[in-house]
Amino acid sequence: MSTLDIGGLILVFVAILYIGVKSTSKVKNSDDYLLAGKSLNKVQAGFSLAATDLGGSGLIGASAYCYTVGISGSWWNLCAVPAFILLGIFLIRRLRPLAIATGPEFLEKRYDKKSRIIASVMQICAIVAGLSAQFLVGAVALNVLMDVPMQVGLIISVAVVILYTMGGGLIAVVNTDIFQFIILVGSVIVAVPLALVKAGGLDTVVASLPAEYFSMGELGFWTPVSWICLCLFLYTTQQTYLQRVFAAKDTSTAVFAYVFTGVIYIFYGLAVGFIGVIMASMMPGIVDANTVYAVMIESVMPPGLAGVVLGGVFAASMSTADSYLMAGTSLFINDIYTPLFGKDKEDKQMLLHSRILTVVICLGSLILANFVQNLIDMVYLAGLFYSTSVFFPIILGVFWKRTNATGAFSGIIASLIVGFSVEYIFADVTTGILSLPSNILSALSGLIVMVLVSLMTKKPAEEKVKFLEAS
């Protein structure tokens, strides 16, 4: 890369660090650190939620997938659209008024403590896995464009996130997310026409690729359906997303954040998909598809702008990584540490322990990042064993008063067993019910068990149902 490119990249880094570190002064207590004082406005909540989900898998993973299979690979991003909009309209307005800070806390107040503990542990494991994938995004970009060794790139990615997240908590994450969202979306908008011109125009791209590269139906029926379900499961259950809901200043702000992100995904998903297809025309034969976006930057972007766009790649990974990190910290402090050890702790101690835990989660993800091979598979599996098993306990817990603690816990266990079995034992089955996507079978089995067990056991205690009246 040229000196101008390096300067552009450094400029993006400095801006992110400045915004993040400056936000540290606004953190006065643990509530500020974990939930930004529950004061996020629409711009903060909407831009931050969008930046969180338009991350590494949505940029690097999706462009790589479209490079391999064609424009139908953009379903990976487009499947987020109905999930965000539907949940924003029907679920978030019911969850936001409740006196809770996390999804597992909802499970205890609606069901019992054991559901909260198992959900917390599973989600923290999923967050560490997802966080490792985001760190890998930045490392891949540095390796391709600046020949930085992967291990060094991983350390740089982790260090940047730690520097501002540990000090400023969710306030720093949200404020940097706004800047990262602008850089990320702007870089994608600029990349599409520049790549198209470099490839010789749309007619040249169409003529050089098989017709199926331009069909949205190449993935069949069940793959997009599975991805829509994955999005529904993730956005309903993951603290990474719910944290913006509980940190929003009111219900309308929380709903706006979800709907806004869904609308943004329409344009973003198609733009990233076209980048992958254009690169398949312009540079066929790239061995590691995960490097496609980085190669595009190197070959298409003019000097100076390439560095800023590379900063957009880091913005994609960091805006998701810092949100994962804060979600993991919030879950551990709120759902494990405080109930078991921290009830009598002073707020200063809670704040200190939250910051220490932030570093510990980062280091664990750094170790796991060395074993990540496929970004999309990593994100899928990270959600499979938590989100699919907890989705219906949350949905039915909100909308069906008859469901009880025994049914919810039984459904979670059944979902875990079926999901694991289908994914790892019956993975080669190509016909019959076991050939369906593992997350669909996992969620449906949990739903069936939950409903049956709830109907066969006693009704929930009155206080468990009254808890919902706040919504």
Side-chain angles (χ1 to χ4, degrees):
M1 296 184 74
S2 68
T3 303
L4 281 174
D5 293 327
I6 295 173
L9 177 60
I10 292 174
L11 183 64
V12 172
F13 270 118
V14 170
I16 291 172
L17 288 174
Y18 174 78
I19 294 169
V21 172
K22 192 169 180 61
S23 301
T24 301
S25 62
K26 299 180 180 180
V27 177
K28 306 301 182 184
N29 51 52
S30 58
D31 189 54
D32 287 340
Y33 188 83
L34 298 174
L35 286 175
K38 296 185 178 180
S39 61
L40 299 187
N41 58 38
K42 284 184 170 65
V43 171
Q44 289 174 313
F47 278 40
S48 180
L49 182 62
T52 294
D53 208 51
L54 304 178
S57 67
L59 180 64
I60 305 300
S63 60
Y65 199 53
C66 291
Y67 178 87
T68 304
V69 305
I71 194 64
S72 60
S74 60
W75 280 118
W76 176 251
N77 281 323
L78 294 176
C79 287
V81 176
F84 268 121
I85 293 176
L86 288 173
L87 291 173
I89 294 173
F90 295 106
L91 178 65
I92 299 308
R93 65 177 68 254
R94 299 289 300 272
L95 279 181
R96 175 59 183 80
L98 301 177
I100 55 177
T102 66
E105 185 178 358
F106 169 87
L107 294 178
E108 178 177 1
K109 290 188 174 182
R110 181 62 177 84
Y111 301 118
D112 57 15
K113 181 173 289 187
K114 63 183 179 181
S115 296
R116 178 179 188 173
I117 296 298
I118 191 174
S120 301
V121 172
M122 287 192 302
Q123 186 172 179
I124 289 171
C125 291
I127 284 172
V128 170
L131 184 57
S132 66
Q134 301 307 319
F135 287 145
L136 185 64
V137 171
V140 167
L142 282 177
N143 179 256
V144 172
L145 296 176
M146 303 182 70
D147 202 28
V148 175
M150 287 293 293
Q151 291 294 330
V152 176
L154 284 170
I155 292 172
I156 292 174
S157 299
V158 171
V160 171
V161 172
I162 284 180
L163 280 173
Y164 66 82
T165 305
M166 183 179 68
L170 187 62
I171 293 176
V173 168
V174 168
N175 289 340
T176 54
D177 278 352
I178 294 173
F179 175 76
Q180 290 162 346
F181 172 81
I182 294 170
I183 292 292
L184 171 59
V185 174
S187 65
V188 170
I189 291 173
V190 170
V192 173
L194 288 178
L196 194 58
V197 170
K198 185 75 173 181
L202 183 59
D203 290 341
T204 301
V205 172
V206 172
S208 64
L209 293 171
E212 56 265 25
Y213 255 72
F214 303 95
S215 169
M216 291 295 291
E218 283 302 298
L219 297 183
F221 175 76
W222 283 111
T223 295
V225 169
S226 173
W227 288 349
I228 290 174
C229 291
L230 173 65
C231 291
L232 285 169
F233 300 156
L234 288 176
Y235 306 152
T236 300
T237 63
Q238 283 278 12
Q239 184 66 12
T240 314
Y241 309 100
L242 292 179
Q243 200 160 22
R244 303 308 185 280
V245 173
F246 302 133
K249 67 178 182 180
D250 53 36
T251 300
S252 65
T253 300
V255 171
F256 172 83
Y258 264 63
V259 175
F260 172 81
T261 303
V263 172
I264 286 295
Y265 251 118
I266 298 173
F267 307 100
Y268 181 82
L270 291 174
V272 171
F274 276 121
I275 290 172
V277 171
I278 292 168
M279 288 300 294
S281 168
M282 188 168 62
M283 291 188 173
I286 296 177
V287 176
D288 184 0
N290 283 329
T291 66
V292 164
Y293 196 81
V295 172
M296 183 277 298
I297 295 174
E298 186 177 42
S299 59
V300 169
M301 296 296 165
L305 185 58
V308 175
V309 176
L310 176 58
V313 175
F314 277 97
S317 62
M318 286 188 291
S319 61
T320 303
D322 55 21
S323 296
Y324 272 61
L325 188 54
M326 281 311 305
T329 301
S330 180
L331 282 165
F332 190 90
I333 293 295
N334 190 76
D335 297 308
I336 297 177
Y337 177 86
T338 299
L340 298 179
F341 312 109
K343 291 182 178 179
D344 299 321
K345 298 289 185 183
E346 294 183 0
D347 192 75
K348 287 185 177 179
Q349 286 181 296
M350 294 286 288
L351 182 56
L352 174 62
H353 294 166
S354 297
R355 285 171 167 156
I356 292 172
L357 183 63
T358 297
V359 177
V360 171
I361 292 174
C362 252
L363 294 178
S365 299
L366 173 61
I367 294 171
L368 185 60
N370 290 281
F371 303 96
V372 176
Q373 297 295 322
N374 184 291
L375 290 174
I376 287 180
D377 287 347
M378 191 68 175
V379 173
Y380 183 89
L381 292 176
L384 175 62
F385 299 114
Y386 168 72
S387 296
T388 55
S389 60
V390 178
F391 175 73
F392 280 114
I394 289 179
I395 293 295
L396 293 187
V398 171
F399 294 104
W400 188 39
K401 293 183 178 181
R402 181 63 178 82
T403 184
N404 59 26
T406 305
F409 189 77
S410 300
I412 290 173
I413 299 302
S415 180
L416 285 172
I417 293 173
V418 171
F420 181 87
S421 300
V422 174
E423 187 68 29
Y424 292 107
I425 299 176
F426 303 107
D428 296 329
V429 175
T430 57
T431 59
I433 191 171
L434 291 177
S435 66
L436 295 177
S438 56
N439 65 339
I440 293 178
L441 289 177
S442 173
L444 287 178
S445 61
L447 170 63
I448 293 169
V449 169
M450 183 177 176
V451 170
L452 291 177
V453 172
S454 292
L455 291 174
M456 292 187 295
T457 53
K458 293 193 300 184
K459 293 182 179 180
E462 189 66 25
E463 64 268 17
K464 297 297 182 180
V465 177
K466 283 187 176 180
F467 160 67
L468 299 171
E469 292 179 359
S471 64

